[in-house]
Amino acid sequence: MTPDQVPRSHGYGVRLDPETRRFRVRNEMTGEWLREPGGEIASFTFFDDAYNAWRQFEVHKRPGE
């Protein structure tokens, strides 16, 4: 995913890339994307998997915690 593709993704933290129908995880505090060991942006088929990865990736106090 190149920087010019990022605005097509929708959501906060867990973003849906409508073209690939895959979820991607972004740390909204730092702006960095969760990446695979090879350097590519990680993608998830299921929202729950992406959400769990996001909770580990963007660690800060959230409402109710």
Side-chain angles (χ1 to χ4, degrees):
M1 180 185 270
T2 61
D4 62 333
Q5 293 174 311
V6 173
R8 290 195 316 238
S9 297
H10 304 287
Y12 175 90
V14 175
R15 296 183 174 212
L16 175 63
D17 181 353
E19 283 189 14
T20 63
R21 294 184 176 181
R22 306 276 294 186
F23 295 98
R24 303 189 187 277
V25 175
R26 183 169 184 227
N27 183 323
E28 299 297 336
M29 302 293 282
T30 65
E32 70 180 302
W33 292 92
L34 178 63
R35 296 190 178 270
E36 298 287 344
E40 291 195 18
I41 295 176
S43 63
F44 300 86
T45 303
F46 300 105
F47 176 82
D48 288 343
D49 294 339
Y51 180 73
N52 289 331
W54 172 74
R55 288 183 56 92
Q56 298 299 315
F57 186 58
E58 182 176 332
V59 179
H60 67 278
K61 189 172 179 75
R62 294 175 184 86
E65 291 183 344

